[in-house]
Amino acid sequence: MNNKPILITGGAGFIGSNFVLQWVQAGGSIVNLDLYTYAGNLENLLALKGNPEHELVHGDICDGSLVAELLREYRPSAILHFAAESHVDRSIASPDEFIRTNVQGTFTLLKQARHYWSSLTGEEKEAFRFLHVSTDEVYGTLEPDAPPFSETTPYAPNNLYAASKAASDHLVRAYFHTYKLPTLTTNCSNNYGPFQLPEKLIPLMILNALEEKPLPVYGDGGNIRDWLFVEDHCSAIAQVLAKGRIGETYNIGGNNERSNLQIVRMICGLVDELAPSKTIGDRSNLIRFVPDRPGHDRRYAMDASKIMREIGWRPSLTLETGLRKTVEWYLEHTEWLEHVRTGAYRDWIHRNYEERAAR
Ligand code: NAD
Ligand code: DAU
């Protein structure tokens, strides 16, 4: 790690804030550009208040002049691009913002990154990287017995979020091939852990189980995801930044395929153990099957052998340990939870669940 800052986008979100905390703790310096959308939460970064190694900038990645100004002022050694609209259900309800941020925003960053990189010389130019954080959803869905996605699996995005991320990946690829911009792309499976907004499966189920509310499982609950603890994703990104070959993509995953029903049952078991209920003996009794997500991908699974072989990255936690840590974190952070459940959050929960049956 050198002493020049890196510029990160979306560092007030779930994965971005975990990355910022890890990076600064390891002695790094960060400029953090975030729009503070409903998904950005400055409380995730409270531990860094007043820390000179973390500079927060409130702004939009679609604002080319702002991005250019930040690059001129801070001269970062890398851009790490996390910012995105990230929730599939929201992309189905209203896709416009996904195209703006994920496609237009990535294009704006690439354009400004190229301009900045062209102005560098010598070692500074040699060392510069643009690292794009992407997802396994770009590969589409897997049959039950198909091998996991590898870096050569053809793209086949099935929902608006996945399509917008696929478009952004293609833009990154084209900037490398056409202009030789030194890019790296990571495609990761489902993350879970501290600071995840309870609109996503795992924190939503923890919260509802704690409050003894229904646990809404889409369809038959047989959809499979490959889960990775967020800090392991962050360490993978840091290692790809340090050792990745430019122009390459790296798949990241925890080799933890589970059906949604299995995950929800694991959560129920943990919540029953850590916060026993006087009224409901077994939280699994709260599971309710609700109408499915349109176009719901059946199975994701990542083959992470390339990053393991080339970079030497390994996940540090099993799913069982990571999930236990996560449930404990939500039990200890009631104030954080209280604050994220603002009017905007409540509106979304109403829209996605109470209006669901009527659609
Ligand atoms: P998130 O929704 O929790 O956070 C997104 C952050 O980006 C927020 O802080 C938000 O304020 C910011 N942002 C949104 N639009 C912006 C804009 N126009 N300008 C500046 N900032 C903006 O997302 P996350 O779950 O932390 O995901 C981060 C990245 O990782 C995304 O690119 C996502 O596609 C990718 N990813 C997520 C997962 C997962 O399981 N969550 C898995 C693989 C890849
Ligand atoms: O695979 C990586 C992707 O994982 C990331 O790129 C996305 O940003 C991230 O949001 C996540 O997408 P998913 O759609 O897989 O995550 P989500 O937590 O929304 O849903 C996980 C699974 O659980 C999915 O099969 C849908 C199901 N689900 C979700 C919710 C919110 C339910 O059954 N009930 C629910 O209430």
Side-chain angles (χ1 to χ4, degrees), residues 236-288:
I237 290 170
Q239 289 181 45
V240 169
L241 179 65
K243 300 187 221 162
R245 288 185 290 128
I246 59 172
E248 291 290 315
T249 69
Y250 293 90
N251 282 0
I252 305 169
N255 198 18
N256 285 313
E257 284 186 62
R258 297 288 189 285
S259 73
N260 293 336
L261 208 48
Q262 284 175 311
I263 290 288
V264 175
R265 290 208 168 109
M266 284 172 80
I267 292 170
C268 289
L270 284 164
V271 176
D272 284 344
E273 178 197 325
L274 298 168
S277 159
K278 292 198 185 75
T279 45
I280 301 190
D282 177 354
R283 254 86 164 200
S284 301
N285 293 328
L286 296 167
I287 292 174
R288 298 287 178 275

Side-chain angles (χ1 to χ4, degrees), residues 2 102 118 122 126 162 171 223 237 295 310-311 328:
N2 61 31
N102 300 2
S118 309
E126 195 58 31
L171 290 172
N223 302 68
I237 290 170
E310 285 192 13
I311 312 270
E328 285 169 351

Side-chain angles (χ1 to χ4, degrees), residues 171-211:
L171 290 172
V172 174
R173 177 188 162 89
Y175 261 80
F176 168 68
H177 280 274
T178 309
Y179 303 120
K180 307 292 171 240
L181 184 73
T183 62
L184 296 159
T185 298
T186 56
N187 294 83
C188 190
S189 64
N190 283 64
N191 284 216
Y192 67 97
F195 301 119
Q196 189 168 31
L197 197 63
E199 63 175 9
K200 306 279 172 82
L201 180 75
I202 288 183
L204 179 84
M205 294 298 162
I206 296 173
L207 185 61
N208 284 15
L210 276 172
E211 297 186 339

Side-chain angles (χ1 to χ4, degrees), residues 22-317:
Q22 214 176 73
W23 186 263
V24 175
Q25 202 166 30
S29 177
I30 280 195
V31 180
N32 182 355
L33 172 61
D34 198 295
L35 189 57
Y36 314 156
T37 67
Y38 80 94
N41 185 352
L42 295 183
E43 285 191 37
N44 298 4
L45 300 164
L46 273 184
L48 298 180
K49 208 165 180 209
N51 189 322
E53 303 307 330
H54 178 232
E55 187 76 36
L56 254 176
V57 180
H58 182 198
D60 191 338
I61 57 166
C62 298
D63 181 348
S65 331
L66 171 65
V67 174
E69 195 184 309
L70 293 176
L71 293 172
R72 260 196 317 273
E73 184 180 346
Y74 293 100
R75 303 183 66 79
S77 60
I79 299 175
L80 270 66
H81 178 32
F82 292 79
E85 286 294 329
S86 72
H87 190 30
V88 173
D89 289 322
R90 287 184 189 254
S91 79
I92 296 166
S94 17
D96 300 54
E97 210 45 36
F98 286 73
I99 305 306
R100 198 187 83 87
T101 289
N102 300 2
V103 185
Q104 188 66 39
T106 303
F107 174 59
T108 304
L109 280 177
L110 284 163
K111 220 161 69 168
Q112 296 306 332
R114 179 185 168 220
H115 188 254
Y116 167 66
W117 175 67
S118 309
S119 75
L120 299 176
T121 52
E123 265 180 37
E124 261 194 326
K125 184 163 195 168
E126 195 58 31
F128 181 77
R129 297 286 182 272
F130 183 100
L131 189 151
H132 176 58
V133 179
S134 193
T135 172
D136 58 2
E137 300 213 8
V138 297
Y139 298 120
T141 187
L142 287 166
E143 292 300 321
D145 49 1
F149 301 126
S150 78
E151 288 80 359
T152 54
T153 303
Y155 273 33
N158 286 323
N159 60 62
L160 278 297
Y161 161 70
S164 67
K165 290 297 289 187
S168 67
D169 292 11
H170 290 323
L171 290 172
V172 174
R173 177 188 162 89
Y175 261 80
F176 168 68
H177 280 274
T178 309
Y179 303 120
K180 307 292 171 240
L181 184 73
T183 62
L184 296 159
T185 298
T186 56
N187 294 83
C188 190
S189 64
N190 283 64
N191 284 216
Y192 67 97
F195 301 119
Q196 189 168 31
L197 197 63
E199 63 175 9
K200 306 279 172 82
L201 180 75
I202 288 183
L204 179 84
M205 294 298 162
I206 296 173
L207 185 61
N208 284 15
L210 276 172
E211 297 186 339
E212 301 176 12
K213 288 183 179 163
L215 306 175
V217 172
Y218 297 168
D220 64 1
N223 302 68
I224 291 172
R225 297 293 181 265
D226 180 354
W227 294 95
L228 182 68
F229 190 65
V230 62
E231 291 173 13
D232 280 329
H233 183 192
C234 294
S235 74
I237 290 170
Q239 289 181 45
V240 169
L241 179 65
K243 300 187 221 162
R245 288 185 290 128
I246 59 172
E248 291 290 315
T249 69
Y250 293 90
N251 282 0
I252 305 169
N255 198 18
N256 285 313
E257 284 186 62
R258 297 288 189 285
S259 73
N260 293 336
L261 208 48
Q262 284 175 311
I263 290 288
V264 175
R265 290 208 168 109
M266 284 172 80
I267 292 170
C268 289
L270 284 164
V271 176
D272 284 344
E273 178 197 325
L274 298 168
S277 159
K278 292 198 185 75
T279 45
I280 301 190
D282 177 354
R283 254 86 164 200
S284 301
N285 293 328
L286 296 167
I287 292 174
R288 298 287 178 275
F289 293 96
V290 302
D292 209 351
R293 172 186 279 176
H296 196 175
D297 284 336
R298 192 66 181 169
R299 175 179 165 232
Y300 302 146
M302 276 306 220
D303 173 353
S305 55
K306 179 176 171 183
I307 186 175
M308 290 184 179
R309 197 177 53 247
E310 285 192 13
I311 312 270
W313 171 83
R314 297 274 179 289
S316 69
L317 294 185

